[in-house]
Amino acid sequence: MAGPRTFRTAAVVALLTATALAGCSDDGGDGDGGVPTDPASAAVSRAASAASSLASEGSDALASATAEAGRWLEDITGGADVKGDVKAGTPKTGTDGRTAVDVTVHNTADGTKSFAVQVNFTSPDGTLLDTVVVTVDDVPAGRSGSATARSSHDLSGDVRTVVARAVRY
């Protein structure tokens, strides 16, 4: 079981992954890490900033980060709930102790769209261990894009992943 320090660490990094991992996508996005100009990307960036401030809230910070991610995903203007269009692969823990999983989105819309995906890392009994948000930018209509969701801290044991939310915008 993770202690309060682990939860604070998760809160600090959990949503910061939203902007950092945008550059990890294979979808043809520029991943330049610049300041977002569209409202949806700005909402994801605000979620990352909010996660940083949650670090001082104690052992409930992971739950707070998860709730904050949900609120920001809801604020994406013109976003559509597309959890069914997202698949997470098999999580793998690297030699650095971090767990990563490939996330693939399929764009069923008529035009190019971007996606924000909240991935939860859980234990076999469903206990939340970590949560991250990844973006997959500029996926053409009818095509797929991918990104890698990476835990914000070391996870041990049998780690599972769940696509908690997905918004297409």
Side-chain angles (χ1 to χ4, degrees), residues 7 16 24 28 49 55 64 66-67 72 79 100 119 127 138 147 151 154 165-166:
F7 285 117
L16 292 176
C24 294
S49 296
S64 296
T66 303
W72 288 113
V119 177
T127 301
D138 303 323
S151 66
D154 294 358
R165 303 260 328 255

Side-chain angles (χ1 to χ4, degrees), residues 10-166:
V12 172
V13 183
L15 294 178
L16 292 176
T17 309
T19 53
L21 287 180
C24 294
S25 64
D26 319 355
D27 57 13
D30 64 14
D32 65 3
V35 176
T37 56
D38 65 276
S41 294
V44 173
S45 292
R46 285 192 309 271
S49 296
S52 294
S53 68
L54 292 173
S56 63
E57 291 187 15
S59 64
D60 292 332
L62 182 59
S64 296
T66 303
E68 192 67 17
R71 281 190 290 276
W72 288 113
L73 289 173
E74 288 172 9
D75 284 348
I76 293 176
T77 305
D81 180 3
V82 292
K83 186 175 168 183
D85 294 338
V86 179
K87 303 290 181 227
T90 303
K92 295 180 177 150
T93 301
T95 57
D96 63 353
R98 304 286 173 97
T99 302
V101 64
D102 291 329
V103 176
T104 302
V105 299
H106 183 71
N107 184 5
T108 58
D110 292 335
T112 298
K113 299 289 182 178
S114 295
F115 295 75
V117 181
Q118 180 183 347
V119 177
N120 289 347
F121 293 88
T122 66
S123 65
D125 69 359
T127 301
L128 183 63
L129 304 172
D130 197 2
T131 188
V132 296
V133 176
V134 295
T135 59
V136 184
D137 296 318
D138 303 323
V139 180
R143 306 257 334 253
S144 295
S146 63
T148 300
R150 183 173 149 84
S151 66
S152 63
H153 60 279
D154 294 358
L155 302 177
S156 60
D158 185 11
V159 177
R160 315 255 170 111
T161 54
V162 176
V163 175
R165 303 260 328 255

